[in-house]
Amino acid sequence: LEHEKTRTRPTKPIVLELGAGCGLVGMGLACSGLFGRVVVTDASTEWLQQNVDKNHSRFSCPVDVLALQWGKRQDHDALQTYLKTRLP
């Protein structure tokens, strides 16, 4: 019984969606209840952020929006920093 108390519970998986566009897939996953966090990325995030903001009350986990343009070193570095600092 003591062993059961000290075991860590498995955390829900985290989704990283690359090239999310309008965010439909990522938002659907965030509504499913199966994930601990969803991170959606795209080169242009204005509409993506608006869609996430408009639908956030439906999500069962946090959804983060990040700019990511392939080949743009600054975006790659920002994503890497995010993953190191924000995710368990």
Side-chain angles (χ1 to χ4, degrees):
L1 186 60
E2 190 62 33
H3 176 68
E4 291 296 318
K5 290 180 183 177
T6 61
R7 268 199 323 193
T8 58
R9 293 183 182 181
T11 58
K12 290 184 178 181
I14 297 166
V15 174
L16 173 60
E17 183 182 7
L18 304 173
C22 68
L24 180 63
V25 172
M27 290 188 296
L29 294 173
C31 292
S32 72
L34 299 173
F35 302 97
R37 180 177 295 272
V38 175
V39 182
V40 291
T41 69
D42 207 277
S44 176
T45 59
E46 183 179 347
W47 283 14
L48 180 56
Q49 186 66 60
Q50 288 176 11
N51 287 340
V52 167
D53 291 345
K54 287 179 183 177
N55 292 286
H56 76 275
S57 64
R58 300 170 190 244
F59 304 153
S60 61
C61 68
V63 176
D64 298 322
V65 176
L66 298 175
L68 180 62
Q69 183 175 344
W70 289 109
K72 188 173 179 186
R73 184 66 185 187
Q74 181 180 352
D75 287 356
H76 291 204
D77 291 345
L79 176 60
Q80 190 172 30
T81 299
Y82 170 87
L83 293 173
K84 287 180 181 177
T85 59
R86 296 282 314 261
L87 303 181

